[in-house]
Amino acid sequence: MQENFARSLHNVLLHEGGFTDHPRDPGGATMKGVTLLTFRRFFGAEKTVSDLQHITEEQLAHIYRTGYWDKCSCDALPRGVDYAVFDFAVNSGPGRAVKTLQSVVNTDQDGVIGPVTLETITSQDSATIITALCDRRFSFLKGLPAFDTFGRGWSRRVAEVRQTALAMAGDDPESDEKVDKTEQIPAQADYDTVRRGDKGPWVVKLQKALGLRADGRFGPKTEATLRDFQKKNGLEADGIAGRLTYRALGLID
């Protein structure tokens, strides 16, 4: 629902952490889940790390709304379902989130929430949709090679999203207070942004996740396969593997 964006964004940001900057990462710094590359794409190539560190609430909301919320048509989704889909999109890409939602409500999985999908969603119980969506999200994460490393954090995030989304669906004004936050969200994993011409362990990780022969050399085939994955998952198909792509592949939390 349109009026639920601010509340949903607040809950998403509870999982995104503050400022991080990895010296080995050409993609640059990250602030509240927004990378320097993304920040520059939205607000200009001249933006600096300092500008990112001081990102305004308006800029942050614009990136999350246009990059995730709007791509999943969350304004039109029922309360609670909107948040569950939104968080899924931030974590694993809008394309995967929408297609999983469509599979839950048994409509064509074309990655676009149109009139038929919306009619089907609104005709079903929101709590049932949220529960099934979170179950399938967790099953997807559990099947990723990195689950042994990041599974504890992923499990906690999905459980918290489920609980909060169900409370939202019930229009419970205390829903944000009912999520157990006694454990801190773990720090973001270190990683290298890689692109064509690069070599090294993160190219190997990327190739394995994409189902390619892992020779550690980022060539034309790796780039083409990566672009196809990014396109299918609602990410910018730039052929560069950074934080959002790694998260969609399940390589980092």
Side-chain angles (χ1 to χ4, degrees):
M1 301 182 70
Q2 184 172 0
E3 62 270 23
N4 212 30
F5 171 70
R7 186 180 181 188
S8 297
L9 178 58
H10 168 78
N11 284 298
V12 164
L13 292 178
L14 291 174
H15 297 276
E16 292 303 318
F19 178 75
T20 60
D21 193 4
H22 308 306
R24 292 185 289 115
D25 180 5
T30 299
M31 180 63 173
K32 296 183 179 179
V34 176
T35 64
L36 183 59
L37 290 174
T38 298
F39 188 58
R40 286 173 171 169
R41 178 160 52 86
F42 275 88
F43 298 109
E46 75 285 355
K47 293 298 183 182
T48 66
V49 171
S50 178
D51 292 328
L52 176 62
Q53 283 183 284
H54 296 90
I55 188 171
T56 67
E57 291 185 6
E58 290 77 14
Q59 290 172 326
L60 196 66
H62 176 69
I63 290 172
Y64 276 100
R65 174 176 277 281
T66 59
Y68 302 98
W69 183 269
D70 289 348
K71 283 188 176 181
C72 296
S73 301
C74 290
D75 275 349
L77 297 178
R79 187 188 305 276
V81 176
D82 53 3
Y83 167 58
V85 172
F86 179 44
D87 189 89
F88 193 172
V90 170
N91 199 221
S92 299
R96 186 180 300 280
V98 170
K99 288 179 181 179
T100 303
L101 174 63
Q102 290 174 320
S103 72
V104 165
V105 299
N106 197 28
T107 59
D108 289 340
Q109 297 175 44
D110 58 6
V112 178
I113 296 183
V116 174
T117 299
L118 282 174
E119 183 178 358
T120 306
I121 291 169
T122 55
S123 70
Q124 297 184 25
D125 177 63
S126 292
T128 301
I129 294 173
I130 291 166
T131 299
L133 183 71
C134 290
D135 284 346
R136 296 193 190 193
R137 176 181 177 181
F138 182 70
S139 294
F140 161 69
L141 294 171
K142 197 171 182 179
L144 294 172
F147 188 82
D148 287 345
T149 303
F150 300 108
R152 186 167 176 267
W154 292 345
S155 300
R156 181 172 58 247
R157 179 166 183 162
V158 174
E160 290 178 358
V161 169
R162 181 198 305 267
Q163 188 174 5
T164 302
L166 287 171
M168 285 181 174
D171 198 26
D172 184 345
E174 302 299 324
S175 63
D176 291 338
E177 302 301 322
K178 289 186 176 180
V179 177
D180 181 8
K181 300 183 179 62
T182 57
E183 295 186 72
Q184 295 296 314
I185 300 300
Q188 295 174 24
D190 197 3
Y191 61 88
D192 292 335
T193 296
V194 295
R195 65 196 77 198
R196 187 169 178 174
D198 286 341
K199 303 175 184 178
W202 276 95
V203 176
V204 172
K205 292 175 187 287
L206 173 67
Q207 290 170 327
K208 287 182 177 179
L210 292 172
L212 299 172
R213 184 171 69 88
D215 60 5
R217 299 174 182 271
F218 198 131
K221 185 175 181 179
T222 299
E223 182 180 50
T225 305
L226 174 59
R227 287 182 185 274
D228 184 57
F229 172 83
Q230 290 171 324
K231 183 177 180 181
K232 289 179 179 178
N233 285 275
L235 303 171
E236 182 182 6
D238 56 6
I240 300 172
R243 181 171 181 268
L244 297 182
T245 297
Y246 290 145
R247 289 181 67 172
L249 286 166
L251 292 176
I252 62 174
D253 190 8

